[in-house]
Amino acid sequence: MFIGHFLAAFAIAASVAAWRGWPEERALAVGAVAGSFATLPDIDMLYAVVGLVGSLEGAFVTSDTFWAIANEIHRGATHSLIVSVFAAIGFAAWRARDGYNSGAGTLGGLILGGLILIVTVVGGIAPGAVVAAFVLAGVGLVTVAERVGLGPRAVLGAGALGLLSHPFGDVLAGPSPALFYPLPTESGLLNGQILLNPDPTLHLLSAFFIELTIIWMGLFVVAQLRGWRLKQHINRRAALGVAYASAIFAIPVPTVETASPFVFTVLTVGFIGTPSRSGWREDRSIQLIDAVATALASITLAAAAYTVTYLVLLG
């Protein structure tokens, strides 16, 4: 989902920038910043990493152990729409600081520091520390945005788009985020996981295809801005992805809870996109777009073939 969060915000921001007439590089820059902000809420996963490192079980980590620790904090404060709005304003104000407008930096610092204080008071030391890491990483992104020439309004738009879009991308896998944290109310909007299909395997496959669609959308936006024609960059080897249909007999039937074998194996199909030795002397940028487009096409065909086989044999 990390890639999906990034590319969804990237595609929207870059497309809007291009529509407004921004130059190619500037449109890509604001898209990249928006995408980076969209991944920022998942910095709360650091809690699980720190917890595992500090435990005696750190050397023998299982997926269940990791998620048991992560879910104590994950999708809490950093996924809140309220926190996201104030964070975006704080980051934009911090970007506006300069020798002539030091008050903006002070305001940004007060807003961001206030978020850390409020979350610490309401949730405790651990959530407060996570939000502190969230704020520090966000300030780092603001510094990057500043270096590529993006102003306060661009940071505000990119930050708001990225941060506010993130929690809605999580509703297909696992529990819904705490949208209105720290208010003591239920979200009312997302009450638990949204099911795309009552069959847990078809739900997972549907979510996977949504993710693939978002990745295609991001690649298409880059291709449009760069003047590439994607169809010309997809190698015929991508058709070999349909052979993945046989995986139905080799791996457990996937659900959200047991998705790892399916996800890892279907993604390995993307190695079909690796350039052949005969093409190593070609332009590197052409090699890269060929590899990415072919890999994505092969993974898409593999997932489609697996889904058809599941429907025919087990559906």
Side-chain angles (χ1 to χ4, degrees):
M1 295 299 291
F2 294 102
I3 296 175
H5 287 310
F6 178 93
L7 288 177
F10 167 85
I12 295 172
S15 297
V16 170
W19 174 70
R20 295 193 61 185
W22 287 22
E24 170 196 327
E25 294 299 330
R26 188 170 170 80
L28 290 172
V30 75
V33 170
S36 298
F37 272 115
T39 65
L40 192 56
D42 279 340
I43 201 170
D44 59 8
M45 299 297 289
L46 287 176
Y47 177 79
V49 176
V50 173
L52 289 173
V53 170
S55 72
L56 296 177
E57 300 176 79
F60 306 98
V61 178
T62 66
S63 175
D64 290 341
T65 302
F66 178 84
W67 284 107
I69 297 175
N71 286 334
E72 295 177 15
I73 294 290
H74 189 43
R75 299 187 177 180
T78 60
H79 289 61
S80 164
L81 299 181
I82 295 174
V83 170
S84 295
V85 168
F86 282 99
I89 295 171
F91 292 140
W94 184 257
R95 171 61 186 91
R97 77 200 185 288
D98 55 37
Y100 302 98
N101 192 15
S102 59
T106 302
L107 175 62
L110 288 173
I111 293 173
L112 298 174
L115 285 177
I116 298 172
L117 178 61
I118 291 171
V119 171
T120 301
V121 170
V122 173
I125 297 297
V130 166
V131 172
F134 170 85
V135 167
L136 289 175
V139 169
L141 288 178
V142 172
T143 301
V144 172
E146 187 173 359
R147 290 181 178 177
V148 297
L150 298 180
R153 287 191 297 177
V155 168
L156 177 62
L161 172 62
L163 296 175
L164 292 172
S165 66
H166 181 107
F168 296 101
D170 282 343
V171 298
L172 301 180
S176 60
L179 290 182
F180 296 117
Y181 183 96
L183 296 181
T185 59
E186 295 296 328
S187 70
L189 296 176
L190 305 175
N191 223 350
Q193 180 181 325
I194 293 179
L195 292 178
L196 299 172
N197 192 289
D199 182 317
T201 296
L202 291 180
H203 166 77
L204 173 73
L205 292 172
S206 298
F208 189 74
F209 280 114
I210 290 175
E211 191 85 356
L212 285 175
T213 301
I214 292 172
I215 296 173
W216 275 114
M217 182 173 65
L219 184 59
F220 177 77
V221 170
V222 174
Q224 289 292 103
L225 290 172
R226 291 292 191 186
W228 299 331
R229 297 184 62 184
L230 279 181
K231 186 177 180 180
Q232 295 179 349
H233 294 280
I234 299 176
N235 192 287
R236 294 178 181 177
R237 294 194 309 272
L240 295 174
V242 299
Y244 185 79
S246 60
I248 195 79
F249 305 107
I251 62 173
V253 175
T255 64
V256 170
E257 292 75 21
T258 61
S260 296
F262 168 76
V263 173
F264 288 135
T265 55
V266 76
L267 291 182
T268 60
V269 176
F271 284 108
I272 290 173
T274 304
S276 62
R277 184 178 294 273
S278 61
W280 284 358
R281 295 184 180 180
E282 294 180 4
D283 181 83
R284 290 295 178 88
S285 62
I286 299 299
Q287 278 189 354
L288 179 61
I289 184 60
D290 286 353
V292 172
T294 301
L296 189 54
S298 62
I299 292 170
T300 303
L301 289 174
Y306 183 93
T307 301
V308 171
T309 305
Y310 174 83
L311 289 171
V312 171
L313 297 180
L314 304 175

